[in-house]
Amino acid sequence: MKFTKMHGIGNDYVYVNCFQEKVDNPSEVAKFVSDRHFGVGSDGLILIKPSQIADCEMDMYNLDGSQGAMCGNGIRCVAKYVYDYGIVPKTTLRIATKSGIKELNLTVENGKVSLVRVNMGSPILEASKIPVVSDQSQAVNQPIKVNGHTYYFTGVSMGNPHAVVYLDDVDNLDIEKIGPAFEKHPVFPDRVNTEFVKVIDRKTLKMRVWERGSGETLACGTGACAVAVSSILNNLTGEEVTVKLLGGDLKIHWDRLENLVYMTGPATTVFDGEITLP
Ligand SMILES: N[C@H](CCC[C@H](N)C(=O)O)C(=O)O
């Protein structure tokens, strides 16, 4: 199987061009290629497919083989792939995902995409639609008991579920322990991606993320959007923020009038390869 290794500020996936390749059992392939010792090494697998309703379709799998509904860092790389490889020679394009069609604008330098702006759509705040178990219609600063401690989270879906938790220190965080405890907590019926956030100032947030099905990743685009929405809802920042992640920065703007979230960030191609599947 031919593939291309790409990343969005360190959130790396194995990309397969399904205009040319056929992947029969993507969940199993995701588990195999994601292994950093026995496979290629990645946070998961992303299939780039033809679409009847958009310029192409993105189909994303976590490293545990579970299918995700949306991938912010991934969709920027999909746009870069289809432009750079001449499949969709347009700088404004639409990509179908499991959470609807997203529109993207590309910045091209020396014939290659360097920066991508994604209209990520409207955040979903209704607890039942995230889903989050709550006795309120929205889970804003909701208390939750994890490993014997009480934390407060805000639930946001960007097509996939996120729990945003504010802490004074995200550097000395035992994320390997607290991450899985949030991910599998019964308050989140479909599991959850958890972002641990420190507010730097009203325009800057610093975050780490424990992803559903992938563990700690260096970045999470939908997570950065969820963090921005939560921080604006909690009046901790203005509408435009820089979210600083381990792998780099993303610019997020929640246009409250349109109720649309825009994410701007880079997309990087690392190498093309070929792998024999088991
Ligand atoms: N890394 C992705 C999110 C993956 C979400 C996935 N872990 C799930 O919801 O199952 C991003 O950049 O938005």
Side-chain angles (χ1 to χ4, degrees):
M1 177 183 82
K2 289 188 174 61
F3 68 86
T4 298
K5 185 76 190 320
M6 304 178 80
H7 72 84
I9 53 171
N11 185 203
D12 62 333
Y13 292 90
V14 168
Y15 291 76
V16 180
N17 175 358
C18 292
F19 286 78
Q20 289 169 3
E21 301 272 337
K22 190 172 174 336
V23 178
D24 294 325
N25 49 357
S27 286
E28 291 311 308
V29 171
K31 284 188 272 190
F32 172 67
V33 299
S34 298
D35 190 291
R36 295 197 186 276
H37 301 284
F38 297 100
V40 177
S42 67
D43 289 331
L45 169 74
I46 290 184
L47 306 184
I48 302 170
K49 298 173 157 176
S51 169
Q52 307 297 324
I53 55 170
D55 294 299
C56 68
E57 179 184 344
M58 173 181 75
D59 193 7
M60 178 264 177
Y61 296 82
N62 295 303
L63 65 76
D64 71 351
S66 60
Q67 187 172 26
M70 180 48 199
C71 183
N73 287 314
I75 203 168
R76 298 198 313 276
C77 291
V78 169
K80 173 177 176 63
Y81 185 96
V82 295
Y83 181 89
D84 289 1
Y85 287 80
I87 299 170
V88 181
K90 301 192 308 190
T91 55
T92 297
L93 65 157
R94 300 163 77 246
I95 299 178
T97 76
K98 293 277 175 294
S99 67
I101 294 177
K102 311 296 178 188
E103 184 162 304
L104 301 91
N105 296 93
L106 312 182
T107 301
V108 177
E109 289 170 30
N110 308 321
K112 300 274 186 208
V113 173
S114 58
L115 205 61
V116 183
R117 183 175 188 261
V118 189
N119 174 348
M120 296 288 282
S122 301
I124 297 165
L125 300 169
E126 295 80 51
S128 58
K129 293 193 181 127
I130 295 176
V132 165
V133 174
S134 176
D135 52 15
Q136 313 280 327
S137 60
Q138 296 186 354
V140 177
N141 259 336
Q142 178 168 316
I144 182 172
K145 206 142 173 83
V146 177
N147 294 348
H149 296 279
T150 299
Y151 296 88
Y152 295 86
F153 77 92
T154 295
V156 181
S157 169
M158 293 305 297
N160 53 10
H162 295 271
V164 180
V165 179
Y166 294 95
L167 299 172
D168 292 333
D169 173 11
V170 295
D171 298 323
N172 304 301
L173 184 64
D174 187 358
I175 202 166
E176 299 289 335
K177 195 153 162 277
I178 187 175
F182 266 92
E183 177 184 358
K184 301 178 182 87
H185 196 287
V187 160
F188 307 109
D190 290 352
R191 296 192 292 166
V192 77
N193 301 286
T194 308
E195 289 79 26
F196 302 97
V197 186
K198 179 177 173 58
V199 180
I200 306 298
D201 59 39
R202 285 193 63 82
K203 292 177 82 73
T204 318
L205 299 162
K206 183 178 183 185
M207 72 170 253
R208 287 175 69 182
V209 58
W210 181 272
E211 281 200 28
R212 171 178 67 171
S214 288
E216 179 166 31
T217 60
L218 296 186
C220 182
T222 50
C225 293
V227 160
V229 167
S230 165
S231 303
I232 296 159
L233 270 184
N234 285 292
N235 194 20
L236 299 169
T237 64
E239 285 191 8
E240 301 201 40
V241 289
T242 297
V243 180
K244 304 183 83 57
L245 303 103
L246 293 180
D249 295 357
L250 290 173
K251 294 250 185 256
I252 313 291
H253 174 205
W254 181 19
D255 184 318
R256 297 297 297 273
L257 279 179
E258 293 179 315
N259 190 27
L260 292 173
V261 180
Y262 295 92
M263 169 189 65
T264 303
T268 308
T269 301
V270 186
F271 66 92
D272 292 313
E274 196 160 343
I275 187 166
T276 303
L277 298 176

